[in-house]
Amino acid sequence: HSGAEYDAWLVNIMEGDQFSSGFVSANPNSKIPALMDHSTNPPTRVFESGSILLYLSEKFDAFLPKDPRKRTEALSWLFWQMGSAPYLGGGFGHFYAYAPIKIEYAIDRFAMEVKRELDVLDKRLADNEFMAGDEYSIADMAIWPWYGALASGVVYDAGEFLQVHEYENVQRWTKQIAERPAVKRGRMVNRTFGKPETQLRERHDASDFDTRTQDKLDPEGSS
């Protein structure tokens, strides 16, 4: 997008980078992601993913419907993601995949909630191409990394357990968005796992996608 050049810095949360004074100045809550817009004077800090998406959408006049009804629908689904995703990640994901002991009640409780959320999405997508209707928007951008990954069976290794194949409309939407060229590029940024050619650990120029992926920086290590 014209004017949307950016630097993407890798923040290593396992080493506590998010607690450094520099990062805390961008997000006082010490969580990723965070954004500093240096095109304003003074620079504008933006934290929380929903706020970042809304800020960029309004700044570049993109990915948010102009029609008031559709715009409101998009924002409702954007905030739906912020309220629902903790049940998926911190709830189901933690107790199903990461907790040191398996607590049947907790797993079942959050699994049923996640399946309910998938059903909500499936019903919405039954009659709509995207979350806001016929326009791809920041609502899709917010929801897809969580629920698209879940529908693909790639997170928590829980696809069979949750029977994600049953949510046919979510499956269609997940695959459709995955094929968008910008989504493919965006998934490479700050990535430290997977195939080396898909890892662009830091992004500072559009040409980095062609010249600075991990396979090019470390050809011996990627062989």
Side-chain angles (χ1 to χ4, degrees):
H1 195 290
S2 178
E5 188 60 41
Y6 66 95
D7 292 291
W9 301 95
L10 185 63
V11 179
N12 191 328
I13 61 175
M14 300 305 293
E15 294 185 2
D17 290 356
Q18 71 274 29
F19 298 110
S20 67
S21 59
F23 190 83
V24 171
S25 68
N27 185 352
N29 196 39
S30 295
K31 300 289 184 181
I32 55 173
L35 179 149
M36 289 294 293
D37 182 359
H38 290 277
S39 71
T40 65
N41 187 20
T44 301
R45 76 177 185 187
V46 194
F47 55 93
E48 294 297 331
S49 57
S51 180
I52 292 171
L53 285 168
L54 183 56
Y55 180 84
L56 292 174
S57 177
E58 292 181 336
K59 184 178 182 70
F60 295 105
D61 191 27
F63 299 116
L64 194 57
K66 297 291 187 295
D67 178 83
R69 185 172 175 274
K70 292 182 179 180
R71 174 188 169 90
T72 300
E73 191 73 22
L75 293 178
S76 292
W77 286 108
L78 173 65
F79 290 112
W80 176 90
Q81 183 271 339
M82 290 187 286
S84 299
Y87 289 98
L88 170 55
F92 175 75
H94 173 76
F95 286 105
Y96 182 83
Y98 303 124
I101 58 174
K102 298 298 182 183
I103 304 174
E104 183 178 2
Y105 171 79
I107 294 173
D108 290 347
R109 166 70 179 84
F110 287 111
M112 291 304 296
E113 174 59 18
V114 170
K115 286 179 68 67
R116 187 194 69 80
E117 293 170 0
L118 285 169
D119 186 62
V120 168
L121 290 176
D122 202 63
K123 289 176 178 176
R124 172 63 183 170
L125 293 166
D127 300 313
N128 297 276
E129 185 177 7
F130 300 109
M131 297 310 304
D134 58 356
E135 295 183 52
Y136 179 70
S137 74
I138 56 175
D140 300 282
M141 295 179 193
I143 296 169
W144 184 82
W146 289 89
Y147 294 89
L150 189 69
S152 300
V154 299
V155 292
Y156 313 131
D157 195 25
E160 183 177 356
F161 179 75
L162 294 172
Q163 298 176 301
V164 295
H165 66 279
E166 296 180 352
Y167 305 98
E168 296 180 359
N169 302 305
V170 176
Q171 293 289 343
R172 184 269 307 163
W173 169 83
T174 295
K175 295 172 184 177
Q176 183 177 351
I177 292 179
E179 290 304 311
R180 294 178 67 89
V183 171
K184 292 180 179 180
R185 289 196 304 272
R187 294 186 69 195
M188 296 169 64
V189 178
N190 293 155
R191 190 181 183 96
T192 60
F193 58 89
K195 296 180 179 179
E197 60 269 26
T198 68
Q199 299 180 36
L200 184 59
R201 298 190 177 188
E202 288 194 353
R203 185 269 192 213
H204 303 291
D205 186 86
S207 64
D208 290 348
F209 289 99
D210 298 317
T211 63
R212 296 189 62 80
T213 51
Q214 197 61 23
D215 61 317
K216 297 181 178 66
L217 296 179
D218 183 19
E220 292 185 4
S222 62
S223 61

PDB file of all heavy atoms in Angstrom, residues 12-39:
ATOM      1  N   ASN A  12      11.899 -10.840  21.102  1.00  0.00           N
ATOM      2  CA  ASN A  12      12.046 -12.180  21.666  1.00  0.00           C
ATOM      3  C   ASN A  12      11.438 -12.202  23.062  1.00  0.00           C
ATOM      4  O   ASN A  12      12.066 -11.806  24.044  1.00  0.00           O
ATOM      5  CB  ASN A  12      13.531 -12.567  21.724  1.00  0.00           C
ATOM      6  CG  ASN A  12      13.716 -14.040  22.038  1.00  0.00           C
ATOM      7  OD1 ASN A  12      12.915 -14.642  22.764  1.00  0.00           O
ATOM      8  ND2 ASN A  12      14.769 -14.638  21.499  1.00  0.00           N
ATOM      9  N   ILE A  13      10.204 -12.687  23.150  1.00  0.00           N
ATOM     10  CA  ILE A  13       9.512 -12.676  24.445  1.00  0.00           C
ATOM     11  C   ILE A  13      10.064 -13.741  25.390  1.00  0.00           C
ATOM     12  O   ILE A  13       9.886 -13.644  26.600  1.00  0.00           O
ATOM     13  CB  ILE A  13       7.989 -12.853  24.271  1.00  0.00           C
ATOM     14  CG1 ILE A  13       7.661 -14.187  23.594  1.00  0.00           C
ATOM     15  CG2 ILE A  13       7.412 -11.697  23.470  1.00  0.00           C
ATOM     16  CD1 ILE A  13       6.161 -14.474  23.507  1.00  0.00           C
ATOM     17  N   MET A  14      10.756 -14.755  24.837  1.00  0.00           N
ATOM     18  CA  MET A  14      11.351 -15.778  25.698  1.00  0.00           C
ATOM     19  C   MET A  14      12.556 -15.227  26.455  1.00  0.00           C
ATOM     20  O   MET A  14      12.926 -15.739  27.507  1.00  0.00           O
ATOM     21  CB  MET A  14      11.763 -16.995  24.869  1.00  0.00           C
ATOM     22  CG  MET A  14      10.610 -17.648  24.132  1.00  0.00           C
ATOM     23  SD  MET A  14       9.231 -18.123  25.214  1.00  0.00           S
ATOM     24  CE  MET A  14      10.023 -19.423  26.175  1.00  0.00           C
ATOM     25  N   GLU A  15      13.168 -14.176  25.889  1.00  0.00           N
ATOM     26  CA  GLU A  15      14.312 -13.552  26.552  1.00  0.00           C
ATOM     27  C   GLU A  15      13.928 -12.264  27.271  1.00  0.00           C
ATOM     28  O   GLU A  15      14.790 -11.564  27.800  1.00  0.00           O
ATOM     29  CB  GLU A  15      15.417 -13.275  25.537  1.00  0.00           C
ATOM     30  CG  GLU A  15      16.023 -14.550  24.952  1.00  0.00           C
ATOM     31  CD  GLU A  15      17.202 -14.266  24.035  1.00  0.00           C
ATOM     32  OE1 GLU A  15      17.569 -13.068  23.890  1.00  0.00           O
ATOM     33  OE2 GLU A  15      17.756 -15.224  23.467  1.00  0.00           O
ATOM     34  N   GLY A  16      12.625 -11.944  27.285  1.00  0.00           N
ATOM     35  CA  GLY A  16      12.155 -10.787  28.035  1.00  0.00           C
ATOM     36  C   GLY A  16      12.309  -9.456  27.335  1.00  0.00           C
ATOM     37  O   GLY A  16      12.275  -8.397  27.983  1.00  0.00           O
ATOM     38  N   ASP A  17      12.462  -9.468  25.980  1.00  0.00           N
ATOM     39  CA  ASP A  17      12.613  -8.213  25.252  1.00  0.00           C
ATOM     40  C   ASP A  17      11.439  -7.267  25.477  1.00  0.00           C
ATOM     41  O   ASP A  17      11.589  -6.045  25.420  1.00  0.00           O
ATOM     42  CB  ASP A  17      12.744  -8.473  23.752  1.00  0.00           C
ATOM     43  CG  ASP A  17      14.059  -9.139  23.375  1.00  0.00           C
ATOM     44  OD1 ASP A  17      14.906  -9.324  24.263  1.00  0.00           O
ATOM     45  OD2 ASP A  17      14.231  -9.476  22.182  1.00  0.00           O
ATOM     46  N   GLN A  18      10.266  -7.849  25.743  1.00  0.00           N
ATOM     47  CA  GLN A  18       9.061  -7.034  25.883  1.00  0.00           C
ATOM     48  C   GLN A  18       9.059  -6.191  27.158  1.00  0.00           C
ATOM     49  O   GLN A  18       8.222  -5.296  27.316  1.00  0.00           O
ATOM     50  CB  GLN A  18       7.804  -7.914  25.837  1.00  0.00           C
ATOM     51  CG  GLN A  18       7.591  -8.803  27.061  1.00  0.00           C
ATOM     52  CD  GLN A  18       8.327 -10.127  26.974  1.00  0.00           C
ATOM     53  OE1 GLN A  18       9.371 -10.227  26.338  1.00  0.00           O
ATOM     54  NE2 GLN A  18       7.780 -11.151  27.600  1.00  0.00           N
ATOM     55  N   PHE A  19      10.002  -6.467  28.054  1.00  0.00           N
ATOM     56  CA  PHE A  19      10.083  -5.701  29.300  1.00  0.00           C
ATOM     57  C   PHE A  19      11.162  -4.621  29.253  1.00  0.00           C
ATOM     58  O   PHE A  19      11.377  -3.911  30.235  1.00  0.00           O
ATOM     59  CB  PHE A  19      10.353  -6.643  30.480  1.00  0.00           C
ATOM     60  CG  PHE A  19       9.252  -7.659  30.690  1.00  0.00           C
ATOM     61  CD1 PHE A  19       9.478  -9.008  30.421  1.00  0.00           C
ATOM     62  CD2 PHE A  19       8.003  -7.267  31.123  1.00  0.00           C
ATOM     63  CE1 PHE A  19       8.469  -9.945  30.603  1.00  0.00           C
ATOM     64  CE2 PHE A  19       6.977  -8.198  31.307  1.00  0.00           C
ATOM     65  CZ  PHE A  19       7.210  -9.537  31.040  1.00  0.00           C
ATOM     66  N   SER A  20      11.837  -4.492  28.111  1.00  0.00           N
ATOM     67  CA  SER A  20      12.865  -3.461  27.976  1.00  0.00           C
ATOM     68  C   SER A  20      12.211  -2.085  27.968  1.00  0.00           C
ATOM     69  O   SER A  20      11.037  -1.932  27.600  1.00  0.00           O
ATOM     70  CB  SER A  20      13.671  -3.664  26.698  1.00  0.00           C
ATOM     71  OG  SER A  20      12.843  -3.434  25.562  1.00  0.00           O
ATOM     72  N   SER A  21      12.962  -1.085  28.362  1.00  0.00           N
ATOM     73  CA  SER A  21      12.408   0.265  28.426  1.00  0.00           C
ATOM     74  C   SER A  21      11.940   0.741  27.058  1.00  0.00           C
ATOM     75  O   SER A  21      10.931   1.447  26.941  1.00  0.00           O
ATOM     76  CB  SER A  21      13.438   1.234  29.011  1.00  0.00           C
ATOM     77  OG  SER A  21      14.623   1.248  28.214  1.00  0.00           O
ATOM     78  N   GLY A  22      12.678   0.356  26.011  1.00  0.00           N
ATOM     79  CA  GLY A  22      12.287   0.761  24.673  1.00  0.00           C
ATOM     80  C   GLY A  22      10.944   0.209  24.264  1.00  0.00           C
ATOM     81  O   GLY A  22      10.113   0.920  23.684  1.00  0.00           O
ATOM     82  N   PHE A  23      10.695  -1.070  24.582  1.00  0.00           N
ATOM     83  CA  PHE A  23       9.420  -1.653  24.201  1.00  0.00           C
ATOM     84  C   PHE A  23       8.293  -1.148  25.090  1.00  0.00           C
ATOM     85  O   PHE A  23       7.181  -0.895  24.612  1.00  0.00           O
ATOM     86  CB  PHE A  23       9.476  -3.183  24.249  1.00  0.00           C
ATOM     87  CG  PHE A  23       8.252  -3.820  23.642  1.00  0.00           C
ATOM     88  CD1 PHE A  23       8.165  -4.004  22.273  1.00  0.00           C
ATOM     89  CD2 PHE A  23       7.176  -4.191  24.426  1.00  0.00           C
ATOM     90  CE1 PHE A  23       7.028  -4.561  21.695  1.00  0.00           C
ATOM     91  CE2 PHE A  23       6.037  -4.750  23.863  1.00  0.00           C
ATOM     92  CZ  PHE A  23       5.967  -4.934  22.491  1.00  0.00           C
ATOM     93  N   VAL A  24       8.553  -0.992  26.359  1.00  0.00           N
ATOM     94  CA  VAL A  24       7.522  -0.513  27.274  1.00  0.00           C
ATOM     95  C   VAL A  24       7.050   0.887  26.882  1.00  0.00           C
ATOM     96  O   VAL A  24       5.888   1.244  27.090  1.00  0.00           O
ATOM     97  CB  VAL A  24       8.028  -0.531  28.734  1.00  0.00           C
ATOM     98  CG1 VAL A  24       7.044   0.164  29.674  1.00  0.00           C
ATOM     99  CG2 VAL A  24       8.241  -1.976  29.192  1.00  0.00           C
ATOM    100  N   SER A  25       7.923   1.670  26.278  1.00  0.00           N
ATOM    101  CA  SER A  25       7.502   2.991  25.825  1.00  0.00           C
ATOM    102  C   SER A  25       6.492   2.885  24.687  1.00  0.00           C
ATOM    103  O   SER A  25       5.690   3.794  24.465  1.00  0.00           O
ATOM    104  CB  SER A  25       8.719   3.801  25.366  1.00  0.00           C
ATOM    105  OG  SER A  25       9.293   3.255  24.192  1.00  0.00           O
ATOM    106  N   ALA A  26       6.520   1.753  23.961  1.00  0.00           N
ATOM    107  CA  ALA A  26       5.551   1.518  22.889  1.00  0.00           C
ATOM    108  C   ALA A  26       4.298   0.841  23.414  1.00  0.00           C
ATOM    109  O   ALA A  26       3.187   1.108  22.946  1.00  0.00           O
ATOM    110  CB  ALA A  26       6.174   0.672  21.784  1.00  0.00           C
ATOM    111  N   ASN A  27       4.471  -0.055  24.384  1.00  0.00           N
ATOM    112  CA  ASN A  27       3.322  -0.725  24.992  1.00  0.00           C
ATOM    113  C   ASN A  27       3.564  -0.880  26.481  1.00  0.00           C
ATOM    114  O   ASN A  27       4.343  -1.742  26.896  1.00  0.00           O
ATOM    115  CB  ASN A  27       3.092  -2.098  24.354  1.00  0.00           C
ATOM    116  CG  ASN A  27       1.825  -2.775  24.887  1.00  0.00           C
ATOM    117  OD1 ASN A  27       1.198  -2.297  25.830  1.00  0.00           O
ATOM    118  ND2 ASN A  27       1.442  -3.878  24.279  1.00  0.00           N
ATOM    119  N   PRO A  28       2.913  -0.081  27.303  1.00  0.00           N
ATOM    120  CA  PRO A  28       3.126  -0.156  28.748  1.00  0.00           C
ATOM    121  C   PRO A  28       2.694  -1.478  29.355  1.00  0.00           C
ATOM    122  O   PRO A  28       3.067  -1.785  30.488  1.00  0.00           O
ATOM    123  CB  PRO A  28       2.276   1.004  29.287  1.00  0.00           C
ATOM    124  CG  PRO A  28       1.251   1.252  28.236  1.00  0.00           C
ATOM    125  CD  PRO A  28       1.939   0.958  26.943  1.00  0.00           C
ATOM    126  N   ASN A  29       1.936  -2.275  28.589  1.00  0.00           N
ATOM    127  CA  ASN A  29       1.492  -3.583  29.077  1.00  0.00           C
ATOM    128  C   ASN A  29       2.468  -4.694  28.728  1.00  0.00           C
ATOM    129  O   ASN A  29       2.231  -5.858  29.050  1.00  0.00           O
ATOM    130  CB  ASN A  29       0.101  -3.907  28.523  1.00  0.00           C
ATOM    131  CG  ASN A  29      -0.581  -5.032  29.256  1.00  0.00           C
ATOM    132  OD1 ASN A  29      -0.481  -5.145  30.476  1.00  0.00           O
ATOM    133  ND2 ASN A  29      -1.289  -5.876  28.523  1.00  0.00           N
ATOM    134  N   SER A  30       3.566  -4.363  28.047  1.00  0.00           N
ATOM    135  CA  SER A  30       4.623  -5.329  27.714  1.00  0.00           C
ATOM    136  C   SER A  30       4.111  -6.563  26.978  1.00  0.00           C
ATOM    137  O   SER A  30       4.487  -7.691  27.282  1.00  0.00           O
ATOM    138  CB  SER A  30       5.368  -5.758  28.991  1.00  0.00           C
ATOM    139  OG  SER A  30       6.045  -4.657  29.556  1.00  0.00           O
ATOM    140  N   LYS A  31       3.254  -6.344  26.009  1.00  0.00           N
ATOM    141  CA  LYS A  31       2.753  -7.437  25.186  1.00  0.00           C
ATOM    142  C   LYS A  31       2.977  -7.095  23.717  1.00  0.00           C
ATOM    143  O   LYS A  31       2.977  -5.928  23.325  1.00  0.00           O
ATOM    144  CB  LYS A  31       1.249  -7.658  25.416  1.00  0.00           C
ATOM    145  CG  LYS A  31       0.860  -8.007  26.853  1.00  0.00           C
ATOM    146  CD  LYS A  31       1.311  -9.395  27.243  1.00  0.00           C
ATOM    147  CE  LYS A  31       0.830  -9.746  28.644  1.00  0.00           C
ATOM    148  NZ  LYS A  31       1.279 -11.096  29.061  1.00  0.00           N
ATOM    149  N   ILE A  32       3.181  -8.130  22.902  1.00  0.00           N
ATOM    150  CA  ILE A  32       3.248  -7.914  21.462  1.00  0.00           C
ATOM    151  C   ILE A  32       1.863  -8.189  20.868  1.00  0.00           C
ATOM    152  O   ILE A  32       1.106  -8.999  21.420  1.00  0.00           O
ATOM    153  CB  ILE A  32       4.318  -8.824  20.808  1.00  0.00           C
ATOM    154  CG1 ILE A  32       4.064 -10.305  21.164  1.00  0.00           C
ATOM    155  CG2 ILE A  32       5.699  -8.414  21.224  1.00  0.00           C
ATOM    156  CD1 ILE A  32       4.967 -11.263  20.423  1.00  0.00           C
ATOM    157  N   PRO A  33       1.530  -7.489  19.763  1.00  0.00           N
ATOM    158  CA  PRO A  33       2.340  -6.531  19.006  1.00  0.00           C
ATOM    159  C   PRO A  33       2.189  -5.108  19.528  1.00  0.00           C
ATOM    160  O   PRO A  33       1.296  -4.816  20.333  1.00  0.00           O
ATOM    161  CB  PRO A  33       1.752  -6.650  17.604  1.00  0.00           C
ATOM    162  CG  PRO A  33       0.285  -6.876  17.859  1.00  0.00           C
ATOM    163  CD  PRO A  33       0.236  -7.764  19.090  1.00  0.00           C
ATOM    164  N   ALA A  34       3.056  -4.232  19.040  1.00  0.00           N
ATOM    165  CA  ALA A  34       2.951  -2.806  19.301  1.00  0.00           C
ATOM    166  C   ALA A  34       3.462  -2.074  18.068  1.00  0.00           C
ATOM    167  O   ALA A  34       4.249  -2.615  17.298  1.00  0.00           O
ATOM    168  CB  ALA A  34       3.767  -2.412  20.527  1.00  0.00           C
ATOM    169  N   LEU A  35       3.004  -0.851  17.885  1.00  0.00           N
ATOM    170  CA  LEU A  35       3.370  -0.078  16.706  1.00  0.00           C
ATOM    171  C   LEU A  35       3.741   1.338  17.112  1.00  0.00           C
ATOM    172  O   LEU A  35       3.103   1.920  18.000  1.00  0.00           O
ATOM    173  CB  LEU A  35       2.193  -0.058  15.723  1.00  0.00           C
ATOM    174  CG  LEU A  35       2.336   0.728  14.404  1.00  0.00           C
ATOM    175  CD1 LEU A  35       1.496   0.051  13.315  1.00  0.00           C
ATOM    176  CD2 LEU A  35       1.883   2.176  14.547  1.00  0.00           C
ATOM    177  N   MET A  36       4.783   1.868  16.492  1.00  0.00           N
ATOM    178  CA  MET A  36       5.145   3.278  16.648  1.00  0.00           C
ATOM    179  C   MET A  36       5.083   3.931  15.273  1.00  0.00           C
ATOM    180  O   MET A  36       5.796   3.522  14.355  1.00  0.00           O
ATOM    181  CB  MET A  36       6.542   3.418  17.240  1.00  0.00           C
ATOM    182  CG  MET A  36       6.645   3.034  18.704  1.00  0.00           C
ATOM    183  SD  MET A  36       5.737   4.102  19.838  1.00  0.00           S
ATOM    184  CE  MET A  36       6.655   5.637  19.677  1.00  0.00           C
ATOM    185  N   ASP A  37       4.206   4.914  15.130  1.00  0.00           N
ATOM    186  CA  ASP A  37       4.047   5.613  13.860  1.00  0.00           C
ATOM    187  C   ASP A  37       4.904   6.875  13.885  1.00  0.00           C
ATOM    188  O   ASP A  37       4.551   7.874  14.506  1.00  0.00           O
ATOM    189  CB  ASP A  37       2.577   5.968  13.640  1.00  0.00           C
ATOM    190  CG  ASP A  37       2.336   6.654  12.306  1.00  0.00           C
ATOM    191  OD1 ASP A  37       3.317   6.867  11.561  1.00  0.00           O
ATOM    192  OD2 ASP A  37       1.170   6.975  12.014  1.00  0.00           O
ATOM    193  N   HIS A  38       6.037   6.818  13.184  1.00  0.00           N
ATOM    194  CA  HIS A  38       6.974   7.941  13.176  1.00  0.00           C
ATOM    195  C   HIS A  38       6.653   8.957  12.078  1.00  0.00           C
ATOM    196  O   HIS A  38       7.407   9.916  11.888  1.00  0.00           O
ATOM    197  CB  HIS A  38       8.403   7.427  13.008  1.00  0.00           C
ATOM    198  CG  HIS A  38       8.904   6.691  14.212  1.00  0.00           C
ATOM    199  ND1 HIS A  38       9.440   7.321  15.307  1.00  0.00           N
ATOM    200  CD2 HIS A  38       8.920   5.361  14.498  1.00  0.00           C
ATOM    201  CE1 HIS A  38       9.792   6.432  16.219  1.00  0.00           C
ATOM    202  NE2 HIS A  38       9.492   5.222  15.748  1.00  0.00           N
ATOM    203  N   SER A  39       5.534   8.752  11.394  1.00  0.00           N
ATOM    204  CA  SER A  39       5.129   9.749  10.402  1.00  0.00           C
ATOM    205  C   SER A  39       4.381  10.908  11.049  1.00  0.00           C
ATOM    206  O   SER A  39       4.066  11.889  10.377  1.00  0.00           O
ATOM    207  CB  SER A  39       4.248   9.098   9.328  1.00  0.00           C
ATOM    208  OG  SER A  39       2.976   8.756   9.848  1.00  0.00           O
TER     209      SER A  39
END
